[in-house]
């Protein structure tokens, strides 16, 4: 997984994975951390005396940050493999299992397509269209 200079990450609110406004989930996505870890850090700072700062910062980020675009998290996203507990992503065994399921699904679609293209019905339609 290499980062290109052209592809810069943008900080968004992730409402789909968020509990209130998606601010913590967005920060976790941006820094490639587990969402629960960011939430624990925010609550810890809140309880250890930074309540006013955390409330103001959370509300400010809620107002400033845009929501994650719909096409941002497509079906064919890059699979992130978790190397350390606090990193976001999937354990290697789960990532391999998911990739295996994706390839199995693609193979099934390819077989169906090949069966249709080599069928007599397809050849007949093609000849009729050429008339």
């Amino acid at each position: 997984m290499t980062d290109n200079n052209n592809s810069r990450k943008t900080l968004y609110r992730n409402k789909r994975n968020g509990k209130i406004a998606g601010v913590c989930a967005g920060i976790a996505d941006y820094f490639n951390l587990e969402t629960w870890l960011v939430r624990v850090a925010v609550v810890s700072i809140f309880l250890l005396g930074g309540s006013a700062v955390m409330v103001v910062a959370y509300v400010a980020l809620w107002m400033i940050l845009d929501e994650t675009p719909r096409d941002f998290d497509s079906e064919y996203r890059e699979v992130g493999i978790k190397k350390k507990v606090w990193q976001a992503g999937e354990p290697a065994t789960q990532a391999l299992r998911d990739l295996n399921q994706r390839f199995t699904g693609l193979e099934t679609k390819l077989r169906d397509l090949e069966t249709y293209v080599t069928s007599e019905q397809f050849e007949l339609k093609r000849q009729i269209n050429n008339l």
Side-chain angles (χ1 to χ4, degrees):
M1 286 183 259
T2 59
D3 288 335
N4 298 344
N5 292 336
N6 297 338
S7 64
R8 293 179 42 172
K9 287 179 88 173
T10 304
L11 182 59
Y12 292 111
R13 285 186 299 127
N14 187 344
K15 280 189 84 171
R16 195 181 64 186
N17 295 331
K19 295 291 183 189
I20 299 173
V23 174
C24 291
I27 291 170
D29 289 344
Y30 184 79
F31 290 107
N32 194 30
L33 298 170
E34 289 287 342
T35 306
W36 65 267
L37 186 64
V38 175
R39 289 181 183 136
V40 167
V42 168
V43 169
S44 298
I45 293 170
F46 182 82
L47 293 176
L48 293 174
S51 58
V53 173
M54 287 310 299
V55 169
V56 169
Y58 193 90
V59 171
L61 288 173
W62 187 350
M63 298 297 171
I64 294 170
L65 296 178
D66 293 329
E67 287 185 34
T68 305
R70 291 188 188 271
D71 61 343
F72 186 75
D73 214 16
S74 67
E75 180 183 342
Y76 299 106
R77 74 188 192 292
E78 186 174 329
V79 176
I81 297 177
K82 183 187 297 193
K83 295 180 182 92
K84 297 181 177 140
V85 175
W86 59 85
Q87 287 182 326
E90 300 180 83
T93 55
Q94 182 65 37
L96 289 174
R97 198 172 304 126
D98 290 347
L99 286 173
N100 187 24
Q101 287 176 350
R102 283 186 189 176
F103 281 125
T104 302
L106 288 172
E107 182 181 8
T108 304
K109 288 179 183 179
L110 185 60
R111 283 183 184 176
D112 292 343
L113 181 65
E114 184 180 15
T115 302
Y116 176 70
V117 169
T118 58
S119 70
E120 291 178 8
Q121 181 183 7
F122 177 79
E123 183 63 31
L124 180 62
K125 283 183 180 180
R126 199 176 101 211
Q127 288 178 0
I128 291 173
N129 287 336
N130 287 338
L131 292 177

